[in-house]
């Protein structure tokens, strides 16, 4: 019996956080996930629930009360399902994971800016900026984390927050040939990222799914917007992404048609 | 006996948060506040503590361990001094104050962008954007707050977060003649702001102090940077702000000299 409903966009990283947290707590069945098709205009009943805002996910609990913001919802779920704890309980440890969590916003913005870039002249600078973010995470882990691979003993709050982004950034591997260099200055964050990606509680999406669905982001169109010359968004539900071919990697010199994308 | 040291910039709103929280808990004496002069280059010993970053406040606890980010430090202080609670303990109420707290970042950015603007042609748009932020806060309070004036029964977490900004935005009153119109759509946020400004736990700064120290911000120079033709920043410690005249209000057509500012 579900105690709450999440309205979310398919493969949204901010919604995957909630799924991971619930998986870690063995509570996935207690929250109902309703998928919203962002390739269509937002339904009135949903706009009414959100009082006009369009950002997702939102969480609805008994009495029609609505929570917004994935980190707020995450904390709410942590509080109503306290066992097993995913967030740290000790004040110092909690503050450490809080500091790491606050690095996620700029990291996310950087990754999305990079994938959406359409100017080949900016690629190198964006790549360097992305590496800076990884270097900062590396330094943070060196300062605060144990031997590893996670921040504390187990996959916890910070991992729940970052893992969906590490997974989305598969689009940088594919469309920007971006990879973390095998240098010492990224060694700690590389180990962290790999352990996050491999964790059994975080397998809600796959690289193939991300690469196929985010093709339009790689061409500069976010949130289900339609690209010129295209009739369908890469975020449509049908045909299923498994039935579509892998998109062309070259985002700068080629614009794939609906047909090429299997849409 | 202090259990921790805060290194902070005078009249920094993010540091005032910590002072307010400690005042509400009757624990102000247990944290030592060390003022950092931002008009001079940052001392090496402090850069070592912060591992190279310059954002303040930072909190140092036993063993030289450092916390950064005002909201992280605020939560740490809430956790180590749990009584009386300033943050809500009920999951739903905590989430509600979490949502309101997340509105602070864009609100702050808007206010600082407005005060630092030097282009008279942008004034009206910036004023309209600022009003939008107040309207959003108003709507939030109408949805979630009780009869008032605070979000919950007492001045709490959200008030601790926002009050220092309401106080900094006295610089908008003075340099931009900005005021909240006496319209119904701002009535709830106006009542909230007034109650926040008047609270006895939040009187660490005064309007005169803010207006005098932030003169350089109104001329576009942040963080103790020096304006052209000036030898001293409005953030210098001497002469004391009480001994200086009120700065000229007209930031767009006049640039005050050190002498006019009593520096």
């Amino acid at each position: 019996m579900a105690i709450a409903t999440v309205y979310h966009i398919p493969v949204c990283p901010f919604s995957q956080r909630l799924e991971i947290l619930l998986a870690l707590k063995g509570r996935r069945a207690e929250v109902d996930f309703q998928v919203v098709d962002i390739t269509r205009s937002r339904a009135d009943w949903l706009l009414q629930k959100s009082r006009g805002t369009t950002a997702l996910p939102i969480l609805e609990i008994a009495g029609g009360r609505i929570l917004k913001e994935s980190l707020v919802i995450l904390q709410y779920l942590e509080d109503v399902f306290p066992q097993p704890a995913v967030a740290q309980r000790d004040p110092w440890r909690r503050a450490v994971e809080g500091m790491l969590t606050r690095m996620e916003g700029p990291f996310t913005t950087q990754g999305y800016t990079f994938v959406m870039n359409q100017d080949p002249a900016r690629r190198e600078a964006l790549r360097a900026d992305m590496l800076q973010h990884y270097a900062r995470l590396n330094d943070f882990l060196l300062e605060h984390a144990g031997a590893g691979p996670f921040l504390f003993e187990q996959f916890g709050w910070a991992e729940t927050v970052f893992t969906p982004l590490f997974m989305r950034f598969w689009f940088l591997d594919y469309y920007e040939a971006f990879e973390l260099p095998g240098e010492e200055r990224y060694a700690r964050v590389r180990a962290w990222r790999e352990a996050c990606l491999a964790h059994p509680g975080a397998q809600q999406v796959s690289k193939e799914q991300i690469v196929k669905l985010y093709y339009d982001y790689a061409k500069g169109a976010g949130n289900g917007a339609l690209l010129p010359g295209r009739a369908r968004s890469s975020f449509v539900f049908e045909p299923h992404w498994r039935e579509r071919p892998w998109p062309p990697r070259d985002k700068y010199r080629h614009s794939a048609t609906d047909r090429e994308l299997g849409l």
Side-chain angles (χ1 to χ4, degrees), chain A residues 41 102 105 147 188:
Chain A
S41 63
R102 288 190 69 86
R188 187 63 186 82

Side-chain angles (χ1 to χ4, degrees), chain A residues 3-257:
Chain A
I3 63 133
T5 302
V6 168
Y7 298 92
H8 75 122
I9 295 165
V11 302
C12 166
F14 309 111
S15 164
Q16 192 192 355
R17 281 178 184 163
L18 313 181
E19 294 185 85
I20 294 172
L21 187 89
L22 292 166
L24 295 172
K25 291 176 178 291
R27 299 283 195 163
R28 178 61 182 78
E30 293 181 57
V31 175
D32 184 29
F33 281 73
Q34 295 280 344
V35 166
V36 176
D37 186 345
I38 51 167
T39 68
R40 303 176 186 210
S41 63
R42 194 61 51 88
D44 282 343
W45 62 265
L46 186 55
L47 284 171
Q48 247 166 10
K49 283 189 195 295
S50 64
R51 293 171 74 99
T53 61
T54 56
L56 295 176
I58 60 173
L59 179 89
E60 180 173 14
I61 64 168
R65 291 186 295 176
I66 298 287
L67 287 181
K68 303 178 185 181
E69 296 285 348
S70 72
L71 292 176
V72 171
I73 299 171
L74 206 65
Q75 184 68 55
Y76 178 77
L77 295 172
E78 176 76 9
D79 291 342
V80 296
F81 301 127
Q83 297 302 330
V86 173
Q88 296 292 317
R89 296 292 185 258
D90 168 74
W92 169 259
R93 285 174 157 235
R94 184 175 191 204
V96 168
E97 72 188 1
M99 287 192 286
L100 184 49
T101 300
R102 288 190 69 86
M103 298 170 79
E104 174 271 322
F107 177 74
T108 299
T109 300
Q110 183 63 38
Y112 276 76
T113 303
F114 192 6
V115 77
M116 293 182 79
N117 171 52
Q118 301 304 303
D119 177 2
R122 288 187 63 210
R123 277 182 90 172
E124 273 317 299
L126 287 166
R127 179 186 154 76
D129 289 345
M130 194 76 235
L131 286 174
Q132 270 295 335
H133 282 272
Y134 278 107
R136 254 174 248 145
L137 291 172
N138 198 82
D139 291 348
F140 186 91
L141 292 166
L142 286 179
E143 181 179 0
H144 292 290
F150 300 119
L151 175 59
F152 297 114
E153 294 76 12
Q154 293 186 305
F155 186 106
W157 182 268
E159 288 78 15
T160 300
V161 169
F162 272 91
T163 301
L165 283 315
F166 291 146
M167 290 179 165
R168 297 313 166 288
F169 292 179
W170 281 324
F171 55 49
L172 297 177
D173 301 9
Y174 191 83
Y175 296 112
E176 294 288 352
F178 175 84
E179 53 185 44
L180 267 180
E183 297 166 21
E184 186 58 27
R185 67 185 296 217
Y186 307 111
R188 187 63 186 82
V189 70
R190 195 184 316 106
W192 188 48
R193 187 179 67 162
E194 282 169 16
C196 285
L197 292 174
H199 194 272
Q203 304 304 312
Q204 294 82 6
V205 297
S206 69
K207 178 165 184 178
E208 178 178 357
Q209 181 183 14
I210 296 295
V211 165
K212 290 181 177 177
L213 268 68
Y214 280 85
Y215 178 75
D216 292 359
Y217 270 83
K219 296 294 296 179
N223 289 319
L226 265 190
L227 286 159
R230 295 267 304 283
R232 313 204 72 201
S233 158
S234 59
F235 277 92
V236 292
F237 294 174
E238 299 289 337
H240 194 281
W241 54 268
R242 276 198 202 85
E243 294 153 20
R244 310 181 202 167
W246 286 76
R249 282 177 186 265
D250 184 355
K251 56 176 262 194
Y252 291 102
R253 285 177 302 182
H254 181 70
S255 296
T257 61

